[in-house]
Each structure stands twice: as C-alpha cells, then as structure tokens.
Amino acid sequence: MSIKEQSIKKEYSQYRWQTNSDEIFTEEMKLFTLNAKDTTYALAALESGHLAHVYYGKHIEDDDLSYLIRLGENPYTPKVNKRDMGTFMDTTPFEYPCHGIGDYREPCFMIMDEDGMSSCDLRYVSHKIYKGKPQIVQPDIVTLPATFADENEAETLEITCVDKHSGIEAVLIYTAFNDLDVITRSVRLVNKGERAVNIRRVMSMGIDFDSDQYDFITLNGSWARERIMERSPLHHGKQGIDSVKGESSHQNNPFIALVSHNADEDMGEAYGFNLVYSGNFFAQAEVTQHKKTRVVMGINHFDFNWLLEPGEVFAAPEAVMVYSSQGIGNMSRTFHDLYRQHLIRGEYKDKRRPILINNWEATYFNFDTDKLISIAKQASELGIEMLVMDDGWFGHRDSDNSSLGDWFVYESKIKGGLKYLVDEVNKLGMKFGIWFEPEMISPDSELFKKHPEWAIQIQGMDMTQSREQYVLDYSNKEVRDCIYGMMKKILDSANIEYIKWDMNRQLTEVGSTTLPANRQRELWHRYVLGVYDVMNRLTTDYPHILLENCSGGGARFDAGMLYYSPQIWTSDDTDAIERLKIQHGTSICYPASAMGAHVSDCPNHTVGRSTPFATRGHVAMVGTFGYELDVTRIPENDRNMIPAQVEEFKKYNPLIRTGDQYRIGNVFEDNMWDAWMFVAKDKSEALFTFVQVLGRPNYRSRRIKLKGLDPDAKYLSSATGEVHSGSALMNAGINVSVHGDFTSTIISFTRI
Ligand code: DGJ
C-alpha cells in the first residue's frame, strides 16, 4: 500500500527550562506515510489539528516516523504549552501554513474576510485515502491540466482542514505514484461559511525541510535564451522566482529544485518542484532563523484575489514533487517519464511527430500560395513530411502590425484559397499545418472595430501596446466562443493536421470590461483558465490535429501546456550552439519528446553564427525535428544532406522519444563541448551525441565516459565497429574525435 494512516498515542515529558519540571503528557496524532517508488513522505495531524511535516526523502521501511516530530522539546508542545504557542507556530515544520497566527515564515494561505481580517487557522478535521487520482476542477469554467493516473498507478490522500473563523475548508490533496518517485499536491477550497471570503493567497504546496544545506536550481532567461540553468547555495532569507506577466514567461520557468551541495548528474539528493500552470506563478525557498528551509509554490499571490462566496469552490493547480537519491539526472528522468506517461495526451503521445518545414524564418510575412508550394515541393522531394504556414495568412496581415483576431484567409496572399493550398500540399504527400495567435487582437483589425471592449483594459487608462497588439479578455466566454468559432471555420475548411498556437505579448492594464469590481483581480487566473478552456475544446473536437504551443519562442514551456500539446516551441533561438544551453536547461524538467527543435539557416538569424549543417541536425534531433529555412535557396551541399538527416531522425526518434536521457557534458561548466545520451529502457541500444563548441590544439580526441548502459552487456559501436562491454564504455569511456569549431558527431551503440 502506498499511503498509510495510523493513529498514534505518544507520551512526552514536557521539558520546561524555567522550572526543570518533567511533566508527562500524552499526544494523540494521526500519522500519514506516503510511499512512492523509492520515496517516503510523512506528515502528521497533531491533536491540536495542526498539520506537521515529518519527513520527505529516500524510502524508509519504518512504519512510524513520528519520533521525528519534536514534541516535548521546548517549545514544540502546543497541547500543554500555550504560553509558548507563538514560538511553536514560528518554528514547527508545517504542511500548509496560514498567515496571521504566529508563523512569520512565508505562508501558503491568506484570506481577507468581510471585516477586513486576514488571519486564518486551518486545522485538520478529517481525511480519506483512495486509489487513483482525482481531476482538478474549477466549477463552471474548466478542468485544470494535471497529471493523471488510474487506480493501479497511484493512491491519493485528501486531508480536510477548516478555518473555524471564516468557515473556509481547505482540502489538501496528495497523490503518490506507485512506480515513479512522484508525489503531486493541490488544494481545493470550499467556502462553508456564511459570508464571502477573499482568497489572497493559495499555494499549491509547502514543505519545511529540516536543513538549509542545499543548492537552489532555477531555469531562467529571456527571449531567445529561455530556461538557462542557474545553481547557487541557499542563503539566509528568501530566494525565489515568479512570473507577473500573465504567462509562465521567458524569464523564469515554474520549476525549482533543492539539491544537496554534492549533487551532480549521477549522485546526491535532488528535490524538484514544478507547477502545472501557465500563468503567474510563485516559487520560493526561505532559509529561516534556525537554518531550516521552507519551500512554497503556487499561483502568484501578487495582484491576485479571488472572491469565494458561500458554497463556492476554488481549485488551485497541481504542484509536482520529484525526489531523487541518485542525482539531478535521475530527477530529470523521473519528470520525463511522468510527463510522457501521465501528462501528455492525444494521438501523438506515443508517436513520432511528422518532420515539418516551417516558413517563418524562410519568408517571414513575405509569402503567397506559390512560394509555399515551391517550398513544399522541394521539401517533399527531400523527405520532409509537413508544411507549416506560419504567421501572415489571415486578415490583411503583411507585417506584425495588424489583423490578429481576424481569423479568415487573406485571399490576395493565399491565392486560390486555403483549401487549394492544402490540397496541393497534400498532393505532394505532405501534411499541412497552420499558425494561430488566438489570444490576441490588433488595434487594426475588424474584430477590434467591432469589439474594442474585448481587449484586456482599464477604462480611462491608455492601453499599452506590445508588438502592436492587445490581449483578448479570455475570462469572457463570449470572446472565447467567438475566437474558437472562427478557428473552427478555418479548421473545417481544409485538411489541417497541425496547429502552432502562439502567444506573443504579456498582459498589461489587467482589467476586464465584464467582471465586477470585486472580481477584477481574478482576471490573471481567469485568463489562464479561459485559455485552457479553448485548448480543451480544440483538442476534444480535433483529436487528430497535432497541437504545438509557442509563446514568442519558449515563454510558455510549462507542464500546463503539455497537457494540451505534446510539443512546445523551445525558443526562437535556433542557433545550434545557443540551443545547447537552452535544451540542456529545458531537459532538467521536460522531456526531449516535447521540445520543438528545427534546423535553420546560417548565418543564424538571432545570433549571426554559422555552424555546420550536420551540427544543426544533431542538435535539432533531440526534439521534434524539423526545418525552418527556405529549402529552395539554401546551399546545395546543405540541401543534399537533408534526406540522410531525415532518415537518421526517423531511425533514432523512437529511442530519443521514449528512452532515458543522460546529460554527460555541460556547456555551462565547460565552454568547449557538450554531450548527451539516450538509452533504451531495456538498455538494448543507445545514442551518443557530442558537440564540440570550440576546437583546441591538443583536443583532437577526448575520452568520454558513457552512462546508463548495462555494464555486463556487450555493445557494438557504430563509429568503430568494435565491441566493448557496457562496463568499459562507462568506466573507461570512448575516444571521441571531431575537428573544428561547432562540429559534432553521433555514435550509436547496439547490444549484441
Ligand atoms: C513567435 C514565434 O516564436 C515564431 O516562431 C513565429 O511563429 C512568430 N511568433 C510569428 O509571429
């Protein structure tokens, strides 16, 4: 059984340093022990109803970890030591701390009632344990994205707590996965009181670690530099990341990890936390006065408020927690397995994605039917399987200054109409994909002329433009219905098999023309729920369409989006060398099967660097492979390499998509090279990729140790034709020889 509940009665002697008295008291508590594969997580509902955190880490066989609770140690004695309740509140490790009752560390929960009071005190009242995993439902709006598991795969504990003063009930939901080191958490609030309550803050999880001896890992960046991994030792006080932009953002990804100081890819402890959410988030580690660490993660409370009327429900998104006792690499592989098996859905979940050619970097806005057909013609001859028509096919859009919201075909550009174009592409044996930016509205659009009130805005304030566009108010169902209706017409008009859903600006003047004043601060979250609603309709009505998310590159590369789209455009930076860092950072939490990666033209449009075509291919292969160039105009030598590249991708994609990823090199630490491997789950084959960033005179060949193989098996190397044991390949290594800057090689290993 993976979740166990015990009633425990313990005797403690109450240490009172003032009197030295040894008074004995008994404490009855409920101890909950969750086991997920090799992980144990324990918490206790004390007699007082406080929920204490007991343990999180490597699997422990012992049934009873209640000795870890420091009851009896002054001042951890809520039952008998009322005079020190304040100290108890500020020092006890808690599961879901509230604001205003003596715990001055970062709270998980805060309200404001009709009297303007913000303190609250959630205490245990009941619990239930059951097999499987519940959905997270925000009534009347949408089911939130979340990992899923059936009755044989996971078990769930729901602990119901109540704040007597306000009548708010908080159900803390924990799910432990049987075969993965994963525990998920979320919170459901119900207003059981008689008066409305404002929810000012509702984190999805909180944990109090008993130590501060960890490094803090985050994935940060900016446009074209997303999810660059950063690692630094925890220090006293608060360190954290967030988004206030209305999306998960280029700047910070909703992922953090705490790892032991000695942790590397292969050893040490790692705790990873990822929020399954695509809007404003908050994630923080706080080292407190006694050198303990509190971690919290959830929707960003900044500028957030949610009015909960009596009887209403609020569902907080899911936080995923992964524990690894075998380093950061193992933590990543657990996230990858979880997301590939229990988050990503749809027909392409376990399928190779079509090799696409996207016309964005090839033509930008300067294309028409003939140009697209000429690209498709050449591409089809080279083995490319799908043409994606990017931005510029609708309204009267010839640059980024118009037409968003006018989702009808720009007939003078798409001459002959969309169906004609799609049919022509299909005749070449290729699929057809199309770009939308459904959340946006251009001031220069028919939609804006008709419905200026549909843009997010504060009446009487100037509206800030970004890329000459505004954001639609997706909290308004009428807006969602209208946009989705237009998209449907397009999708029903031709054989469209792929959609790129883009989002190219962040939110400003966050106000809605339809929400009442006391619900305006809900807009940040209602916007995200509205986006989920439309994605939900789209994936339900068009299960055959492959959806790829995108946000000005990779500003919404998050687990929320993966629930709808099995792949996400990783970054607008398509330079192979820049991508080493971006893809390395992304792989810390997200699987290769989800990373949109294309071979693009040189000099690279973002950084101006020229790299060999082969290297661009090797780097793009670690994702959903495709091309982003004018295939009719690139150098002939490069073009001639495409058929072989396509075959190589087809050959290795099953392994890359489903295998275990091992990071070997680290461009963050060594500018000279990077390397990684994918190993089949049954260890029968492996693919090794090496990229030399800069050549060095005496670095003609490097000895590199492989990872993840079966030490006792023999493997045939595609580079040398020689056979070596897994043990030799992993302990002694292979000699890798490439020459020149930005060069690369791939080597496959087959078990014989
Ligand atoms: C941003 C995306 O990341 C690009 O790939 C492209 O689709 C442009 N938007 C189009 O406007």
Side-chain angles (χ1 to χ4, degrees), residues 360 390-391 435 467 500 502 504 550 552-553 569 572 628:
W360 178 242
D390 210 278
D391 193 355
W435 179 98
R467 211 191 192 209
K500 179 174 172 186
D502 205 347
N504 282 305
C550 171
W569 184 228
D572 274 345
E628 182 121 0

Side-chain angles (χ1 to χ4, degrees), residues 280-322:
N280 290 353
F281 73 92
F282 179 77
Q284 184 180 274
E286 175 188 10
V287 175
T288 63
Q289 54 180 336
H290 296 125
K291 303 268 180 214
K292 317 281 185 203
T293 306
R294 170 167 291 179
V295 173
V296 300
M297 177 177 254
I299 291 179
N300 201 345
H301 49 279
F302 177 80
D303 203 21
F304 168 85
N305 189 72
W306 191 281
L307 179 70
L308 210 59
E309 297 278 3
E312 284 184 347
V313 171
F314 179 86
E318 172 165 293
V320 172
M321 313 195 301
V322 168

